[in-house]
Amino acid sequence: MATNRERTENTQLALLEAARALFVSKGYGDTSTPEIALAAGITRGALYHHFADKRDLFRQVLAREAMAVAADIEAATPKQLDPREALLEGSEAYLGAMTVPGRTRLLLVDGPAVLGVAETMAIDDANAAHSLREGLKRAGMGRGEVSVDALSQLLSAAFDRAALEIDAGADAKEVRAAMRWLVEQALGPARPSNSARPAKKG
């Protein structure tokens, strides 16, 4: 028999998944809480027991998407990977993660419109943007020349635009190649192996 915690988690998951599907297919504005509750197989009262309102539910849907993107980046950039290669692989992983149907719309279009730019950026800053910023620091980008935080924000915007271009039907291979070229240019020439941190084996 499921525990109270398990039942709570199952109900929240059902609501999040139902809400995501409706937000993607109908948009935030045209989706109602009764529809979400019906799709999740629970009462509207139960929905409000777990989430303050539709906006709160939407925020949690976005946070879940952002965490999934960050997880894909982390999986593609194991600790033993050379910092330069990790940044390039992480860049590829971000664009790959954003091709999940509905994700670009949720995170880059509806998110800022519903929650505002500041709140959406805060969600990103705790996930993919954080991974990018840490990757830049490990690779030594901008050190002593420009602010790593500022560089991270600008590159993050470029990655988001690339994801939007791919979602809109642009040639994904061309866009990915262009982003890789951009990151490589920002990285500059690869340093001699004796001056870089050696990659761990295993």
Side-chain angles (χ1 to χ4, degrees):
M1 180 178 292
T3 64
N4 286 337
R5 180 177 179 179
E6 289 172 337
R7 284 193 291 271
T8 295
E9 290 176 348
N10 289 338
T11 299
Q12 289 176 341
L13 180 59
L15 283 166
L16 288 167
E17 291 182 342
R20 185 197 191 282
L22 287 166
F23 289 148
V24 169
S25 63
K26 299 184 64 175
Y28 177 85
D30 291 330
T31 297
S32 68
T33 51
E35 284 180 293
I36 295 171
L38 180 64
I42 66 167
T43 65
R44 188 180 180 190
L47 184 154
Y48 286 111
H49 174 73
H50 294 282
F51 299 96
D53 50 27
K54 186 173 74 167
R55 191 175 186 275
D56 180 40
L57 179 53
F58 182 75
R59 183 189 301 107
Q60 296 305 316
V61 168
L62 258 63
R64 192 163 173 252
E65 294 295 312
M67 285 188 285
V69 173
D72 281 0
I73 294 172
E74 184 176 348
T77 55
K79 297 294 184 183
Q80 67 268 24
L81 201 61
D82 173 78
R84 180 187 179 93
E85 192 59 30
L87 188 58
L88 293 170
E89 290 300 317
S91 300
E92 292 277 356
Y94 171 78
L95 292 178
M98 291 300 286
T99 61
V100 171
R103 185 168 284 169
T104 297
R105 175 179 181 175
L106 287 170
L107 291 175
L108 303 182
V109 181
D110 291 352
V114 175
L115 301 179
V117 174
E119 191 168 352
T120 307
M121 285 182 67
I123 292 173
D124 183 41
D125 198 52
N127 293 284
H130 173 75
S131 298
L132 175 59
R133 187 167 55 252
E134 292 305 305
L136 295 178
K137 290 178 180 177
R138 286 187 64 215
M141 284 180 68
R143 191 174 298 160
E145 299 177 38
V146 296
S147 163
V148 175
D149 287 341
L151 183 60
S152 175
Q153 291 290 348
L154 292 173
L155 279 174
S156 180
F159 277 113
D160 289 350
R161 180 55 188 263
L164 286 167
E165 291 285 341
I166 293 172
D167 190 62
D171 187 308
K173 187 175 181 180
E174 288 186 357
V175 174
R176 285 173 183 252
M179 280 306 307
R180 187 178 182 91
W181 179 88
L182 179 62
V183 175
E184 287 177 335
Q185 296 307 303
L187 278 166
R191 296 178 180 180
S193 58
N194 61 356
S195 64
R197 183 194 301 177
K200 296 179 182 177
K201 295 183 178 180

